[in-house]
């Protein structure tokens, strides 16, 4: 038995899957793995991290505008 792994662009994914799923060949098994894009993965990790936090994260900032300016000045 052999395994072939394909990385397929989203624009042609449906066409490739249509062709593969319509092949009527004994011994062919199609196994689909969905990979999340990195940006979605990072967003979900941040959301999970902050989900259980209370609104006290930025409570120590007295003047938000001044704090933002200081952050920008550091860069």
């Amino acid at each position: 038995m052999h395994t072939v792994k394909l990385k397929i662009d989203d624009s042609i994914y449906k066409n490739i899957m249509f062709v593969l799923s319509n092949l009527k060949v004994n011994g062919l098994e199609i196994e689909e793995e969905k990979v999340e894009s990195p940006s979605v993965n990072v967003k979900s990790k941040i959301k999970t991290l902050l989900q259980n936090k209370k609104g006290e994260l930025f409570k120590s900032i007295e003047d938000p505008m001044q704090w933002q300016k200081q952050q920008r000045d550091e860069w």
Side-chain angles (χ1 to χ4, degrees):
M1 179 174 266
H2 300 278
T3 300
V4 176
K5 189 173 187 177
L6 302 171
K7 291 184 181 182
I8 302 171
D9 191 61
D10 289 341
S11 62
I12 61 168
Y13 175 78
K14 286 184 180 181
N15 294 337
I16 298 297
M17 288 307 292
F18 177 79
V19 169
L20 291 175
S21 63
N22 284 303
L23 287 175
K24 305 296 181 195
V25 179
N26 289 336
L28 175 65
E29 179 183 333
I30 300 170
E31 187 175 314
E32 199 174 345
E33 290 181 15
K34 294 184 180 180
V35 178
E36 293 183 27
S37 67
S39 62
V40 172
N41 195 16
V42 170
K43 286 180 184 179
S44 65
K45 286 181 181 180
I46 291 172
K47 187 175 181 180
T48 303
L49 178 66
L50 297 176
Q51 186 174 6
N52 296 326
K53 302 292 181 188
K54 296 183 180 177
E56 300 171 2
L57 291 173
F58 301 104
K59 197 172 189 176
S60 64
I61 300 172
E62 293 177 19
D63 184 0
M65 297 301 284
Q66 180 63 30
W67 179 82
Q68 285 179 356
K69 184 179 181 325
Q70 290 172 346
Q71 297 302 309
R72 288 188 201 107
D73 289 344
E74 286 182 14
W75 289 94

